[in-house]
Amino acid sequence: MEKKKIKGEFKITSFKTTKDLPSLRKSLKKALSKPLTHILEILFGGAISLRASDIHFEPEEEKLKIRLRIDGILQNLISLPLSFHQKIVSRIKILSRMKLNITRRPQDGRFSLLLNDKEIEVRVSSLPSQYGESIVLRILNPEMLIDIDNLGMEKEILEIVKKELKKPYGMIIVTGPTGSGKTTTLYAFLKEILRPEIKIITIEDPIEYKIEGISQTQVNPSKGYDFASGLKSIMRQDPDVILVGEIRDFETAKIALQAALTGHLVLTTLHTNDSAGTIARLQALGEKPQNIAPALNFVIAQRLIRKVCQKCKTKRKITPSEYKILKKELKNIKKIKISPSLTIFDSKGCSFCNFTGYRQRTGIFEFFLVDEEIKEAILKNLSIEALRKKLKEKGMITMYQAGLLKIIKGITTFEELERVLGKK
């Protein structure tokens, strides 16, 4: 008897590389009189080609708006007659094994895109809205996973991180808001340490990318399998390395820290604004400094920032106000010499970058190693501000400073840094 599929599959048979949004828009307009399957093939194939992370179907009073999130920014793709809305919603619900008759409650599902013998997972979310169900597709393209060397870390930080990843035990925390690239960083860490002689188990919500050679599990709170209970079960599986998708409560924090103290390497995430806030967040969950200090190896806070387009970027000299910012903010970094005649790049916009001036993203990181001095500071229960000051005295590069360094290197712009971190 054939095994029942837990999710649907959508095969893209006529894939053509899409150069830019206008080209994809033109192709979609030409296909509107053709069967829905053909339209979705063009849309899905185009979204993959343009490296979109999400497709948004948003019904309005008289039209269906479709937008793509590319490099973290939502961009309008096309508006279709509202008659397309229900057809598209029904097709996606069938693919993702969601219930067609439920329209007034949110639903989640998954399906796979099959492209050139490659399987790409798609996570689906439906939400009731004023004019019908809003659908968002998250495209989990494994090609978007990158190696640790390509995350965008400064050379000095990268060398320390690689050294720390070789340790057999302790906790590594990556922190930042939703969409800041934490999962990508954790997966890059896993790829760095993956080898046949160690056992790696993950507990995630949900599993975003499948990695060969790693045991991956997904939480299911409705069946009593949450991060805390799952972590207890994982500990009985004789792991060497454990990835906990997120620490959300005291029970999970307690078990994860205990695992780190008893010979396991634990990788996890927290939601905090910066690296110094990590300790206070763990304490707010109920953990004590005497358990946190000896367990932590290092903490990284991060954001994703767009890279200026290499095809259309324009060079210019920094302004007096920009010189003032660079001089003030980077004064404690001895290796950097700032001159009033320093040249940086501006974004312009061309077809290669979909007329945004930017193409692809990189990380900006705030990193600190938990050495003996920082352990002592944690045990003293310093405030966030006092700990931040201590870390800066020890030479920590803040996220804002990391962004400024990328401006000096011609990777991004002042405007992009302000968009991501706000105005200084």
Side-chain angles (χ1 to χ4, degrees):
M1 189 169 72
E2 187 182 13
K3 187 180 178 182
K4 186 180 178 182
K5 292 180 182 177
I6 58 170
K7 63 179 183 300
E9 293 176 346
F10 186 94
K11 194 166 187 179
I12 302 174
T13 56
S14 55
F15 177 74
K16 290 181 182 178
T17 302
T18 304
K19 292 190 304 179
D20 50 41
L21 275 173
S23 299
L24 178 55
R25 190 177 296 122
K26 188 177 178 181
S27 298
L28 284 169
K29 285 179 178 177
K30 281 184 180 178
L32 291 183
S33 59
K34 295 186 177 180
L36 182 62
T37 300
H38 184 73
I39 296 171
L40 291 177
E41 272 198 68
I42 293 171
L43 176 58
F44 294 157
I48 292 167
S49 185
L50 294 172
R51 302 169 297 101
S53 61
D54 302 84
I55 305 174
H56 291 240
F57 298 91
E58 300 167 342
E60 298 181 345
E61 188 173 6
E62 296 179 350
K63 63 187 178 184
L64 170 65
K65 185 164 69 178
I66 301 177
R67 299 196 286 172
L68 301 182
R69 189 177 292 279
I70 301 171
D71 294 333
I73 303 295
L74 271 174
Q75 298 186 50
N76 290 327
L77 174 59
I78 194 171
S79 290
L80 300 180
L82 202 56
S83 58
F84 278 92
H85 176 247
Q86 195 52 53
K87 296 175 189 174
I88 290 173
V89 169
S90 296
R91 182 73 175 113
I92 290 172
K93 280 187 165 185
I94 290 168
L95 273 171
S96 52
R97 300 295 190 260
M98 293 159 68
K99 293 180 179 178
L100 287 168
N101 61 334
I102 294 179
T103 59
R104 298 190 179 184
R105 290 204 311 267
Q107 292 189 73
D108 294 315
R110 293 174 86 96
F111 68 92
S112 296
L113 293 173
L114 302 178
L115 173 64
N116 299 332
D117 298 322
K118 181 176 69 176
E119 187 175 308
I120 298 171
E121 291 281 312
V122 179
R123 202 166 73 223
V124 184
S125 170
S126 74
L127 187 73
S129 69
Q130 186 177 2
Y131 300 108
E133 289 176 279
S134 172
I135 300 282
V136 176
L137 308 184
R138 168 62 57 89
I139 301 170
L140 303 170
N141 190 343
E143 287 188 358
M144 302 299 278
L145 284 177
I146 54 179
D147 295 325
I148 192 171
D149 296 301
N150 297 316
L151 289 172
M153 291 180 185
E154 292 293 317
K155 186 181 176 183
E156 295 83 354
I157 294 175
L158 182 61
E159 287 174 356
I160 297 170
V161 167
K162 284 186 174 182
K163 183 180 176 183
E164 289 295 310
L165 285 171
K166 291 177 181 175
K167 288 187 175 179
Y169 58 86
M171 180 180 281
I172 293 166
I173 296 179
V174 181
T175 184
T178 301
S180 60
K182 299 187 296 295
T183 300
T184 300
T185 297
L186 285 181
Y187 279 17
F189 289 175
L190 289 182
K191 286 172 73 178
E192 178 71 13
I193 60 181
L194 180 61
R195 54 188 188 273
E197 61 268 27
I198 65 170
K199 181 164 185 173
I200 302 174
I201 306 179
T202 77
I203 178 164
E204 305 172 62
D205 182 22
I207 296 170
E208 296 212 3
Y209 300 96
K210 293 172 184 171
I211 302 179
E212 194 174 338
I214 293 175
S215 300
Q216 295 174 269
T217 69
Q218 183 168 314
V219 298
N220 190 344
S222 64
K223 295 186 178 178
Y225 188 71
D226 55 18
F227 279 117
S229 62
L231 195 46
K232 284 179 183 175
S233 300
I234 285 172
M235 292 294 287
R236 294 192 286 270
Q237 290 284 310
D238 189 30
D240 298 292
V241 179
I242 304 166
L243 184 148
V244 183
E246 184 186 348
I247 291 180
R248 299 174 181 170
D249 53 53
F250 169 66
E251 188 69 13
T252 308
K254 180 183 176 183
I255 302 166
L257 285 167
Q258 194 59 36
L261 289 167
T262 55
H264 304 85
L265 185 63
V266 179
L267 282 62
T268 190
T269 72
L270 271 178
H271 283 278
T272 63
N273 287 327
D274 61 8
S275 58
T278 302
I279 311 303
R281 175 66 180 144
L282 287 171
Q283 287 181 273
L285 290 173
E287 262 304 341
K288 297 175 182 176
Q290 55 263 40
N291 293 330
I292 299 168
L296 271 183
N297 289 3
F298 67 81
V299 175
I300 285 185
Q302 69 175 76
R303 300 291 189 278
L304 290 176
I305 197 162
R306 290 183 296 170
K307 297 161 73 172
V308 68
C309 177
Q310 296 301 303
K311 297 260 184 176
C312 65
K313 64 182 181 180
T314 55
K315 187 180 280 191
R316 67 167 175 85
K317 195 169 83 169
I318 55 172
T319 66
S321 61
E322 289 167 346
Y323 171 70
K324 191 176 177 182
I325 290 169
L326 291 169
K327 196 76 176 169
K328 177 188 174 186
E329 296 296 332
L330 300 179
K331 64 183 178 183
N332 66 323
I333 303 178
K334 295 181 175 62
K335 63 177 182 178
I336 300 296
K337 304 294 179 187
I338 308 298
S339 161
S341 60
L342 178 72
T343 56
I344 59 174
F345 289 103
D346 268 343
S347 60
K348 185 180 178 184
C350 64
S351 61
F352 185 67
C353 61
N354 288 310
F355 305 97
T356 62
Y358 302 91
R359 186 176 171 90
Q360 298 187 331
R361 291 185 292 176
T362 188
I364 49 174
F365 300 90
E366 187 175 281
F367 168 91
F368 73 83
L369 189 66
V370 183
D371 57 15
E372 291 306 315
E373 193 176 345
I374 298 303
K375 281 180 185 176
E376 189 179 328
I378 294 170
L379 290 169
K380 284 181 180 176
N381 207 9
L382 294 183
S383 67
I384 295 176
E385 194 51 51
L387 180 58
R388 189 180 292 123
K389 185 180 177 184
K390 167 75 73 177
L391 292 169
K392 284 181 181 178
E393 287 171 358
K394 286 177 63 65
M396 181 184 78
I397 296 174
T398 67
M399 266 186 290
Y400 188 72
Q401 289 177 320
L404 291 176
L405 292 175
K406 282 189 162 46
I407 291 171
I408 291 171
K409 291 175 182 176
I411 295 170
T412 192
T413 66
F414 273 100
E415 291 75 20
E416 177 64 4
L417 183 60
E418 185 179 323
R419 182 189 70 82
V420 173
L421 291 182
K423 195 161 187 171
K424 260 289 189 183

